[in-house]
Amino acid sequence: MRDTISGGPELSAHELFDRAAGLHSVRDPYPELNELRARGGVHPFDLSRRYPILAGAVETPACIVTSHRLVTRVLSDPQTFSSSAYSYKEAAGRNILQMDGDEHARYRALVQRGFSRRSLEAWSNQVFAPIVEGYVERIAPLGRADLVADLTFRFPIHVIARMFALPEDDLETLHDWSSGIFLAPVSMERAMQCSAELIAFLRPFMERRRREPGDDLMSLLATVELDGERLSDEDILAFIMVMIPAGGETTYRATSNLLYALLTHPEQLRAVRSRPGLIGAAVEEALRWEGPITAILRYAMCDTELEGFEIAAGTHVVVSLGAASRDGSRWERPDAFDLHRRSRPGLAFGWGTHRCLGMHLGKVEMEIALRTVLERLPGLRLDPDAADVHIAGDHFRSPRSLPVRFDAAA
Ligand code: HEM
């Protein structure tokens, strides 16, 4: 059974987020998702009992889509299946995740420039790699570490702070605010408090970037134009408030899952170590096998049907990226982690018009983290004294810790 999602101010927003995501109670949702998919690609669903981070206690009719074929179909039809169901608007402002149609296309075109492959290449060598190296260097002489607490939890939010040229002296508060905003469906009060504090923190930086733009992403957002139109202050703040959790939470959990996959499959860890050319394949396979987000949400705009299952206008549609990523009609032995399998485009970043804007960035960060760990931590293995290390979570999934040993650097 799931724990109730409660907690006073003594719990950090991050701790509450983990509870709402099922990290405290759901160990393995895949047998149930696999069973659902085996019975059909779409089913009625009680949204109020599951995925509270997606929809809180919404009691409108809902269904869950589980097969690869139907998940890609729903995500390729934004006119029928709208993104407007996300309820972060009050806390995060009107933002890209919940926009549809022309508004979404226009907004995405404006912000996309900051995510081009070219700007990423520059960022990865000059910014991402030194940040990751800094964390790994700190543990390298110790011979043991918790790769979640010491590395994966820390570096993605650090990368985002650097991309927006924000001060780096209190990254944990930034991380906590960002988790708090995504709590809106389960604790609007906490989300509003985090959002107000984050806005108060961000606003002076934004005003400065309008006056004196630099080469950071906030400056780009403050100055970018499309057909003579600029983003308003509120647009920019809303975008940053989505970007911090969208890029921080996901990359932290995805990198943790990648390291977990390799540490629990030592023969594949050896293969990547001896052939670094396999790093990209390991990242792709980890994202398929244990993606950090198992579900996203859509909303039926009109009466429709999927393979004979009738969906009334106003139905919430849970799009199970987790179930579809283990669809045996697309991947052989889908429950196995196998970085040698034939590569096919996966669903961890979604599909269609809202497909993750930070997809290349997320993958590059994961690759850099793995490469650095392999290079600087020889003999890396799970700590044999650690009990029951595992991935947990229903909506967001990751291990809570990754205790490891390695040969300490002299
Ligand atoms: C491994 C890491 C990541 C995963 C698994 C991931 C996953 C996703 C998914 C599933 C969506 C689609 C949501 C939907 O359709 O409702 C999405 C959208 C988005 N992601 Fe990511 N993401 C990751 C990293 C990042 C990073 C690093 C950033 C930026 C710093 C980012 C920014 C965004 C934004 C802005 C959107 C909204 C795009 C739109 O609505 O057009 N993500 N992400």
Side-chain angles (χ1 to χ4, degrees), residues 86 96-97 104 108 115 160 239 242-243 246-247 250-251 254 287 292-293 296-298 321 348-350 353-358 361-362 365-366:
Y86 288 121
I96 188 167
L97 267 174
H104 174 257
R108 188 157 165 137
F115 295 88
I160 292 176
F239 184 65
V242 164
M243 277 271 297
T250 50
T251 309
L287 284 163
I293 308 177
I296 55 180
L297 194 63
R298 294 296 186 263
L321 303 177
F349 294 99
T353 49
H354 282 271
R355 195 170 194 196
C356 179
L357 196 59
L361 168 58
E365 288 187 68
M366 291 171 72

Side-chain angles (χ1 to χ4, degrees), residues 1-6 19-20 22-26 49 52 400:
M1 276 301 288
R2 172 188 291 286
D3 291 341
T4 51
I5 298 147
S6 55
R19 286 187 179 212
L23 263 90
H24 288 251
S25 52
V26 179
R49 288 193 47 229
R400 301 189 75 184

Side-chain angles (χ1 to χ4, degrees), residues 33 41-43 45-47 50-51 54-55 62-66 71 74 294-299 315-321 395:
L33 292 176
V42 52
H43 303 269
F45 194 69
D46 183 352
L47 193 48
R50 222 164 145 188
Y51 302 129
L54 268 185
C63 64
I64 184 166
V65 179
T66 54
V71 161
V74 167
T294 59
I296 55 180
L297 194 63
R298 294 296 186 263
Y299 183 78
T315 302
H316 280 79
V317 180
V318 173
V319 180
S320 180
L321 303 177
H395 181 200

Side-chain angles (χ1 to χ4, degrees), residues 86-95 98 184 188 191-192 195 241:
Y86 288 121
S87 55
Y88 303 118
K89 199 170 99 193
E90 289 84 350
R94 177 144 187 81
N95 65 71
Q98 60 197 193
M188 186 55 84
M192 294 304 286
S195 148
M241 283 201 292

